Amino acid sequence: MRLLLLSSILLISLQSSFAQSTIQKKIDALATHTNLIHGQLSVALMDVENNRLIAGHRADKTMIPASSLKVLVTGIALKKLGKDYRFKTELTYDGTITADGVLQGNLIIRGYGDPTLGSHHFTQAETHDIVLKKWTDAIRKAGIKKIEGYIIGDASYFSTQVDGRTWLWEDLGNYYGAGAWGLNFHENLYHLDLQQNGKLGATPPVVNVRPTVPNLRLVNELTQGKKGSGDNAYIFGSNYGYTRFIRGTIPVGSGTFSIKGSVPDPPFFAAFHLMQNLEKSGIATSQRAASLYQLEQEGITIGKTTVINTYFSPSLQKIVKETNLKSVNLYCEALLRLLGKTEKGDAHPSRGLEVIVEYLNNSGLPTAGLFLKDASGLSPRNAVSARHLTAYLAFLKKQNDVFPDFKASLPVGGKSGSLKYLFRGTIAENKVFAKSGGMDRVRSYSGYVQNRAGKWLAFSIIANNFTGKSAIMRKEMEKLMLAFCQ
C-alpha cells in the first residue's frame, strides 16, 4: 500500500514536472517569435497555493501593461472600500425659497466622483434623461418654480487634475481619454455622427452631436478611406478646451458613422443639461449654467447649501465588474481618485497611486521597479512586470472577502468580455479569467487559469514593441494560455 502511494506521488510529480517543462518550452518559443526579435516579453506563471513561480520569461522586466493594469485598482478598491460602497451625487441650493416659489440663490449639483452618473450603457445605472427627470421632479417637489441664481456643476470633491499627466495628446479628445472629475455626467462623452458618401478622400460632414455640447467648435479634417477600413478617426483637444480637431479616416459608405469624443467640462455639461430640462419643464431660470470652477475664477462663490435630492450609484461590486469586462478607463480613474480621497484626504491621482503602492508593500508584495502613472493603463509611461501583477493576483486569490467579486468581474474564456471569442471548444473554455490590455505595439493578459487538475494558477503575459499585427501576438498569447490550462 505504501509502495502504491509512493508510486502515485511519484507519477503525479513526474506529470507536473512534464507539464511545467512543456509550458516553459512554449514560453521560450514565444520569446523567440519572429515578431519579438526587436521587442520585449515578460511572462510569469505562479501557483497561488505556495506563491511559487512555475514558469516564466524575464518575469521582473518592467513593461507597458496597457489595461491589464486595471486589476490593481479594482482589486484594491474592493478591499479598501467594500463591495457595497456607492458614490453619491447631491442636488442642493443656497439662498432661500420665497412663498411663491422663487429660489433666491443658486441650484448646485455637487458630485462625489460617481463615474456612472447618467451612463448610457451601464444597465445598472440610469440614463442621463432619467437622472435629469428625477432632479427636475425633486426641484418641483421642493416648491421651486423659478431660479434667480446660477445652475452650477460642483466637481470640487476631486482635484482639477482630471486626466493622466502622461496621457497622449491623441487620446485626450476621445471618449476613452475623458478623465475623471468630481462631477461626471453621461460618462463624459458625446457621440459625433458623420454622413458617409461614396467618394474616397472626401470629408464626411458632421450631422449631429449627441447630447448637445455647448460651445463646442469642431474643425473637421477627416477624410474617407477605402471600404471596410474601419474607425481610424481621432478627435484632438484638451480638457476645458472647446476647439476640437477631427482627423484620420472613416470608410466610404452611404450611412451614418458615429465616433465618440470627450466632453471638455463635464460639470458645466451636467449643469447645462439640467437647465435645459428645467426650462422645458416650465421651471424658469434667470442666470446661466456654469461649473463652480468657472464661477470661482470670476470671484463668485456659493453659500451654505440645503440638500433636496441625493442620488446613489450602483454598488462598487457592479462598477468593478463593468470596469474589467468593458475596460472603462473613466471608472478606473474615478476609483483611483476615490482611494486617494478616502485614504489620504486628497483626490489628486498621485495620492491614489501612493495608496496602491503602500498596499502592495504592506502586503509583502514586490514593488521594486514598479512605476505607476495612472490606474487605467492609458499612460505609455506605466512600467509593470509580469511578476508584479502575478504576485498580486496570487495574493488576491486568498482574500476570501474580495476574490469572488473580483473573479466575477474578469472576462471569461469563451464566454465574456475580451475573451468571449477565445478558447471556444477547448479545455480553456470557462477556465481562463483574465483582463486584457492593448495599445499600439502593446498586448497583455493578466489573470487566472484553473488547469486540468483543478489547480489555480495566476499569470501575466506582457509584450511590447512587437512587429506585425496585434492579432498575431494575441493568437500566440492565446496558445500560451491554453497551455497553462493543461
Side-chain angles (χ1 to χ4, degrees), residues 241-255:
Y242 282 86
T243 299
R244 302 286 163 121
F245 292 83
I246 318 168
R247 296 173 178 147
T249 65
I250 64 169
V252 295
S254 58

Side-chain angles (χ1 to χ4, degrees), residues 366-433:
T367 57
L370 177 69
F371 301 101
L372 299 179
K373 297 299 180 180
D374 65 20
S376 61
L378 191 57
S379 172
R381 292 186 64 185
N382 288 308
V384 181
S385 72
R387 190 189 296 272
H388 286 137
L389 295 178
T390 307
Y392 170 69
L393 290 166
F395 173 80
L396 179 57
K397 175 66 173 66
K398 301 181 181 73
Q399 308 301 304
N400 295 330
D401 57 332
V402 174
F403 180 70
D405 294 309
F406 178 76
K407 173 176 168 285
S409 77
L410 296 174
V412 181
K415 300 295 181 183
S416 61
S418 58
L419 302 184
K420 186 174 183 178
Y421 300 106
L422 277 62
F423 311 114
R424 287 186 172 180
T426 72
I427 189 176
E429 184 174 355
N430 214 30
K431 296 294 183 181
V432 179
F433 310 85

Side-chain angles (χ1 to χ4, degrees), residues 91-97 103-109 144 146-153 287-288 292 295 300-306 308:
L91 183 63
T92 71
Y93 69 88
D94 66 359
T96 59
I97 303 171
L103 172 58
Q104 297 176 329
N106 305 298
L107 187 70
I108 306 116
I109 311 167
I144 299 172
K146 181 180 179 181
I147 301 165
E148 290 188 341
Y150 298 96
I151 312 298
I152 303 172
Q287 296 285 354
R288 71 183 194 273
L292 180 61
L295 294 176
I300 299 170
T301 59
I302 58 177
K304 184 179 179 181
T305 59
T306 300
I308 57 176

Side-chain angles (χ1 to χ4, degrees), residues 35 441 466-473:
N35 289 15
R441 300 195 307 278
F466 49 84
T467 55
K469 294 182 177 180
S470 183
I472 296 174
M473 189 53 56

Side-chain angles (χ1 to χ4, degrees), residues 143-260:
I144 299 172
K145 299 176 182 177
K146 181 180 179 181
I147 301 165
E148 290 188 341
Y150 298 96
I151 312 298
I152 303 172
D154 178 3
S156 60
Y157 189 71
F158 284 178
S159 78
T160 56
Q161 183 64 54
V162 298
D163 52 20
R165 290 178 59 187
T166 57
W167 286 3
L168 297 178
W169 173 247
E170 69 179 25
D171 291 332
L172 295 179
N174 300 285
Y175 75 97
Y176 54 85
W181 308 62
L183 175 59
N184 307 289
F185 194 65
H186 195 257
E187 299 201 356
N188 302 345
L189 65 81
Y190 61 90
H191 298 265
L192 194 62
D193 296 331
L194 303 149
Q195 182 60 57
Q196 295 170 285
N197 60 64
K199 187 177 180 182
L200 196 67
T203 296
V206 175
V207 294
N208 199 16
V209 176
R210 303 176 284 118
T212 300
V213 180
N215 304 325
L216 187 66
R217 177 175 176 262
L218 297 170
V219 181
N220 188 359
E221 299 177 356
L222 200 63
T223 58
Q224 291 186 148
K226 63 182 181 180
K227 186 177 181 180
S229 57
D231 182 357
N232 293 298
Y234 292 87
I235 302 173
F236 291 84
S238 61
N239 293 307
Y240 306 104
Y242 282 86
T243 299
R244 302 286 163 121
F245 292 83
I246 318 168
R247 296 173 178 147
T249 65
I250 64 169
V252 295
S254 58
T256 301
F257 194 97
S258 296
I259 61 177
K260 292 179 284 188

